[in-house]
Structure formats: structure tokens, C-alpha cells
Amino acid sequence: KHAQDLFDEMLSLVKELVNKPVKKILLSCTGGLTTGFFAMQLNDACDMLKLDYHFEAVPFDEIEDVISQYYILLLAPQIAYKQAELQLKFPNKLIINMPPKIFARYDTGRLIELIRETEIKNGTDDEDIGDVDILYFFRKKINFFEKKHSLNYYNLLVRIPQ
């Protein structure tokens, strides 16, 4: 009986994880290049941490064509002044200006934390991260262009249950 109960509980958790929808988040800057690279870094971090976010990037002039497919829109600092205008056009979307320090450093940990805080503030999160989790950050050096160049460090958000 006990083994069967444990198996049933495990099966229901697996089904819940498999059926959990991925939250699509759109990043945008003037041309989509810098946010495209940042989106790749964010996806790597979310894959590593098993978070239910997927990031994509588009140039600013393509936002209106695709915004309906996304849960949140993140604006790069160079187009942050457009946030109020976009919020009026799309009142049911979460539209967030990325802080310049986070964007300039490609700080994946802080941006994921900002998204989580915004979800909690707006009541759109589906996961309680209250007192049962501790947020930890660790640093990782990343390389690109066949390791000929390297970026500065960026933070990854790690959730360790107590």
C-alpha cells in the first residue's frame, strides 16, 4: 500500500511537470541583436535551472506582430521610453523595462529574479517561492566565438529548497 501511494504521488508530480506550460518571454531592442544574444544566455540559464521560461528576441518594429504569443515583454534600455506607449496598446501584457545594469552585464540571474518579483507583484506567478526556498547566486564565466573572446561574469539564479 505504501509503495503504491509513493508511486502514485511520483506519477502525479511527473504529469504535473510534463503538462506545465512554458512561459514565453519576448525581449526587444532597436535591432534585436543584443537582446537575441541575451535571450540565448537566459535560455541556457533556464535550461540548467529547470525553469519554465523560454526567451526570444525581435527588433522593436516587429513587437506588434508577435506580442500576442508572449507572456511578458522585456524592453532594452535604448527603447525603454516606449514602455508607456506599448502598455496603452497592450494593457493585458506585462511590459518591463530592463534596468541598464542588468542589460549591460547580461545578468541572467538578476533578470530572472526581476521577472519572478514582477510575477509575484502582479499575481501572475504559479509557484510559491516564499520562505521555503533560499535564492543563491553563483558566478560562471562564459565564452563565445570559439573561446577567443570571453564576456564578463554573469549571475545565475539557483533555488535550493530548505
Side-chain angles (χ1 to χ4, degrees), residues 105-123:
R105 294 177 182 163
Y106 289 150
D107 192 340
T108 57
R110 271 297 298 135
L111 189 60
I112 291 169
E113 186 179 11
L114 177 66
I115 292 166
R116 299 288 297 176
E117 289 169 358
T118 303
E119 286 181 307
I120 291 167
K121 179 180 168 186
N122 289 290

Side-chain angles (χ1 to χ4, degrees), residues 39-158:
M40 289 182 347
Q41 298 299 319
L42 288 159
N43 285 325
D44 288 345
C46 288
D47 288 345
M48 185 185 320
L49 300 170
K50 307 291 186 236
L51 297 175
D52 61 339
Y53 298 120
H54 178 74
F55 297 86
E56 295 177 4
V58 296
F60 177 77
D61 59 357
E62 294 179 20
I63 289 174
E64 292 187 31
D65 299 333
V66 298
I67 193 170
S68 64
Q69 303 167 32
Y70 296 91
Y71 169 65
I72 293 175
L73 171 62
L74 297 168
L75 300 176
Q78 67 265 35
I79 59 170
Y81 70 96
K82 295 284 198 174
Q83 194 246 358
E85 175 186 328
L86 288 168
Q87 197 65 72
L88 285 173
K89 283 184 181 178
F90 306 102
N92 297 327
K93 292 288 178 187
L94 288 175
I95 301 175
I96 304 169
N97 287 334
M98 286 185 271
K101 280 186 180 179
I102 290 175
F103 187 72
R105 294 177 182 163
Y106 289 150
D107 192 340
T108 57
R110 271 297 298 135
L111 189 60
I112 291 169
E113 186 179 11
L114 177 66
I115 292 166
R116 299 288 297 176
E117 289 169 358
T118 303
E119 286 181 307
I120 291 167
K121 179 180 168 186
N122 289 290
T124 57
D125 66 319
D126 60 355
E127 191 176 322
D128 181 18
I129 62 168
D131 294 333
V132 296
D133 295 328
I134 300 175
L135 300 178
Y136 286 94
F137 292 90
F138 67 91
R139 299 177 89 61
K140 177 184 175 189
K141 191 164 191 169
I142 58 172
N143 295 310
F144 64 103
F145 297 125
E146 298 173 4
K147 299 185 180 182
K148 293 177 186 171
H149 306 285
S150 64
L151 294 175
N152 289 331
Y153 291 91
Y154 69 100
N155 295 318
L156 291 175
L157 178 68
V158 179

